[in-house]
Amino acid sequence: MMHAGMPLSWAEGLCCSMLLMAIWAILARLPVLSEASNRVENSSPLAIWITRLLSSQLLLLSLKLLMVGLFFLVIICGLYGTPLPQQNLATELTWNIWWAGLIVSVFFLGSGWCAICPWDTIASYLTRLNILGASDNSTRLNLAVPGVLRSVWPALLMLLLLSWLELGYGITADPYATALLAMLMLIITTTSHALFERKAFCRYFCPVGRTIGFYSQLAPVALRPVDPQVCSRCETLECYRGSEQVEPCPTGLLMKNLKENSYCTSCTNCVRSCPTANISWKLRPLSQEARQDARPRHDEAWFVIALLALALLHGLTMMPIWEQQLQQLSAWLGESGLLLWGFTILLATTLLLVASLYAAAIAVTMKLCRQRIGFKKLFIDMAFMLLPLAFGYHIAHNLTHLWRENSWSWLLHPFGLPTQALPSMSRVMPTMGSGEAGLFILQSGFMLFGFCMSLLILRHRAARLASHDSNRRGFSLLPLALFALLITILQLWLLTQPMMMRF
Ligand code: SF4
Ligand code: SF4
């Protein structure tokens, strides 16, 4: 089934606004940076109250148990329900509600999902016989994570594998395989929790946690010290070490040094263990962290590049032209059936194209810079500008799934519709004028947000690198601004194209 895309006139209007923004980004003077004056984080009494509420044992436990219940429902429906994906709770809830809505949730809640993640809840229970508090019944070996795994390369590999299963193998249309994947993730999480100290799976291996972790650098909320001075004087470090009642930080973060959301799972252990109640949710400007606080590493830069390429791939694979290219390539390879080799080659090509284009833009920028900045440093530092490009399109694309792909029949019939209901089964298909305009307004907003944030990050990062440059305009940013414009135009074009529904 095909869906019409965003009207071309909307995309043209957006392109014109973005072109003007790009011209401004190049011609305007770069911002003058000062660490203290540019950081804005507010924790009002209301935010502190909300933090206490959200970290209450009762609420957390209830939400965790609800997620565990839904997780088992997905497995049972996937294994024993109808193989029709549009009628089975396993595929509808996993891919159309959770996976599509997860990225949207980051915009409001940061990495809040991880606080109630059922894989972690069940694995923690199996390895500690306790869900929330500290436990003496641990069956963990608490081994140190080998140095070679202490990066996001494992999570990047897992993300590629997940995308391959989702877009290549078509697991989204297979309730049984969806249930098996959910169980496989649980086995890997439990094994990691049992072997390694803290929660190595969440920090190094989980593709879901790392994706929302990086995206949450753009989020307007973060857990931070209420008074940084109190943290700097603290010697007991309960947030890091835990207390008698509360587990230590699962990803080994020390609140007084915390500048990035990437590895925070929002578990609120630190809120509950801090003896001075000095940790709260704080409001901050969108993308502040990606602009000035985050200090990237090589592996993290590649993870962000992969996020951008995979977000594009989600749109590309829903287009008829992708199907035609895949068929042609697979015929040339002599492949039939699931066409997995052909898909793998196209996936690798998309990744390589995005990375090469970005590398080329960095190389030209390096030549234009008056200061001598190494290619690697520029490549890593500027990767943050790709985050909002990926995030804005990822949300805009996922809204299509959330808006159009739910039949909701699975709510009443999680295992599938009764046979007699099948002939009359119909999917609710909104048409332009009966709600579609709302979808396009939201998509346009997120696309503008992504592009605008990307330029802001680019200018802030450039200002930091060129702090001694007397020429403080952004002329040298032209290649990267063009790169951002090119990617966004491609994304907008994808949004205007008719899309094939997954099921
Ligand atoms: S990092 Fe992964 S396993 Fe850990 S809590 Fe988040 S989603 Fe769950
Ligand atoms: S800093 Fe650590 S303990 Fe605090 S919410 Fe984040 S992951 Fe949990």
Side-chain angles (χ1 to χ4, degrees):
M1 192 177 291
M2 299 284 287
H3 267 299
M6 179 191 282
L8 198 58
S9 55
W10 289 52
E12 286 168 354
L14 287 170
C15 283
C16 291
S17 333
M18 288 167 180
L19 186 62
L20 292 176
M21 282 186 216
I23 293 171
W24 165 81
I26 293 161
L27 295 183
R29 285 192 178 280
L30 293 178
V32 178
L33 301 182
S34 122
E35 285 280 332
S37 63
N38 282 299
R39 183 170 299 113
V40 184
E41 288 172 349
N42 292 315
S43 74
S44 61
L46 179 64
I48 294 176
W49 181 80
I50 291 174
T51 307
R52 300 283 163 263
L53 180 74
L54 293 180
S55 56
S56 95
Q57 300 250 22
L58 186 64
L59 183 69
L60 265 182
L61 189 63
S62 310
L63 290 173
K64 278 173 181 265
L65 291 179
L66 175 68
M67 290 302 135
V68 169
L70 289 174
F71 177 78
F72 283 122
L73 200 56
V74 163
I75 290 176
I76 294 168
C77 291
L79 294 182
Y80 301 109
T82 172
L84 296 174
Q86 69 274 28
Q87 291 181 37
N88 194 309
L89 174 141
T91 33
E92 286 277 6
L93 188 59
T94 305
W95 302 111
N96 279 353
I97 304 292
W98 172 72
W99 190 224
L102 185 68
I103 306 298
V104 182
S105 80
V106 178
F107 193 77
F108 305 100
L109 303 171
S111 57
W113 157 259
C114 287
I116 54 171
C117 160
W119 291 313
D120 173 52
T121 305
I122 302 169
S124 295
Y125 184 75
L126 292 175
T127 53
R128 286 192 297 116
L129 304 180
N130 194 332
I131 294 183
L132 268 182
S135 167
D136 297 332
N137 296 324
S138 177
T139 54
R140 298 178 174 189
L141 293 179
N142 285 322
L143 302 175
V145 179
V148 67
L149 296 179
R150 287 177 172 269
S151 66
V152 291
W153 292 118
L156 176 53
L157 282 180
M158 294 268 287
L159 181 67
L160 290 174
L161 183 62
L162 188 64
S163 305
W164 186 86
L165 284 172
E166 182 194 352
L167 305 170
Y169 179 81
I171 200 171
T172 50
D174 187 338
Y176 194 82
T178 298
L180 292 185
L181 178 66
M183 289 193 288
L184 179 67
M185 282 289 282
L186 179 59
I187 292 170
I188 301 174
T189 315
T190 309
T191 309
S192 171
H193 279 24
L195 285 179
F196 298 121
E197 60 190 355
R198 297 187 187 252
K199 293 183 178 173
F201 182 79
C202 299
R203 168 133 197 162
Y204 300 114
F205 311 146
C206 181
V208 179
R210 285 316 91 239
T211 298
I212 58 178
F214 283 116
Y215 279 158
S216 65
Q217 291 192 351
L218 307 168
V221 291
L223 274 169
R224 293 289 184 274
V226 177
D227 179 356
Q229 296 304 321
V230 173
C231 278
S232 62
R233 288 194 297 270
C234 176
E235 291 180 357
T236 45
L237 305 179
E238 279 90 347
C239 63
Y240 175 76
R241 296 180 181 140
S243 65
E244 271 184 26
Q245 288 83 34
V246 185
E247 283 277 287
C249 173
T251 49
L253 303 173
L254 190 54
M255 194 41 83
K256 66 172 153 191
N257 295 338
L258 191 62
K259 297 270 193 314
E260 300 179 43
N261 271 3
S262 320
Y263 299 99
C264 174
T265 61
S266 301
C267 67
T268 65
N269 280 2
C270 50
V271 177
R272 281 176 284 123
S273 61
C274 176
T276 53
N278 191 40
I279 299 170
S280 165
W281 286 104
K282 287 190 162 187
L283 282 177
R284 57 194 187 158
L286 288 161
S287 86
Q288 171 177 281
E289 188 175 316
R291 260 181 283 149
Q292 62 190 77
D293 293 333
R295 296 283 175 275
R297 299 187 322 229
H298 197 217
D299 53 332
E300 294 177 341
W302 278 100
F303 196 95
V304 173
I305 291 170
L307 276 181
L308 179 61
L310 293 174
L312 279 172
L313 202 72
H314 274 81
L316 283 168
T317 51
M318 287 178 68
M319 290 181 56
I321 192 171
W322 173 275
E323 199 58 34
Q324 289 160 12
Q325 297 301 319
L326 181 58
Q327 298 278 357
Q328 281 179 11
L329 178 63
S330 302
W332 183 73
L333 291 170
E335 190 186 14
S336 59
L338 285 173
L339 314 184
L340 293 178
W341 281 111
F343 175 82
T344 309
I345 290 173
L346 289 181
L347 184 152
T349 309
T350 310
L351 271 174
L352 277 176
L353 268 178
V354 172
S356 311
L357 265 178
Y358 174 63
I362 290 289
V364 182
T365 305
M366 209 177 76
K367 296 272 180 234
L368 294 180
C369 277
R370 290 184 177 192
Q371 288 185 314
R372 292 176 65 82
I373 303 170
F375 177 85
K376 189 173 174 185
K377 178 164 178 47
L378 210 54
F379 185 91
I380 294 174
D381 211 78
M382 290 301 178
F384 283 106
M385 68 169 282
L386 310 184
L387 254 186
L389 292 181
F391 187 58
Y393 176 69
H394 209 154
I395 294 189
H397 172 83
N398 281 6
L399 284 174
T400 310
H401 292 300
L402 281 171
W403 204 279
R404 292 164 156 174
E405 274 195 338
N406 284 301
S407 64
W408 301 111
S409 68
W410 52 273
L411 271 177
L412 289 177
H413 305 281
F415 288 86
L417 282 172
T419 323
Q420 64 271 25
L422 283 175
S424 62
M425 184 196 73
S426 66
R427 189 168 285 249
V428 179
M429 298 278 291
T431 55
M432 182 70 183
S434 67
E436 290 281 273
L439 170 64
F440 299 143
I441 288 170
L442 284 174
Q443 287 180 322
S444 305
F446 280 114
M447 290 303 295
L448 273 174
F449 162 79
F451 187 72
C452 183
M453 289 300 140
S454 178
L455 291 184
L456 286 181
I457 293 170
L458 173 64
R459 285 171 50 76
H460 271 78
R461 296 250 151 209
R464 183 186 296 280
L465 289 173
S467 55
H468 305 301
D469 197 338
S470 54
N471 174 16
R472 297 199 43 97
R473 290 190 194 276
F475 298 126
S476 56
L477 306 181
L478 181 64
L480 284 166
L482 279 179
F483 172 81
L485 195 61
L486 186 74
I487 291 286
T488 312
I489 289 173
L490 176 61
Q491 293 169 335
L492 279 171
W493 177 74
L494 284 172
L495 288 176
T496 62
Q497 296 305 300
M499 292 272 177
M500 294 186 303
M501 282 176 54
R502 295 180 294 192
F503 45 80

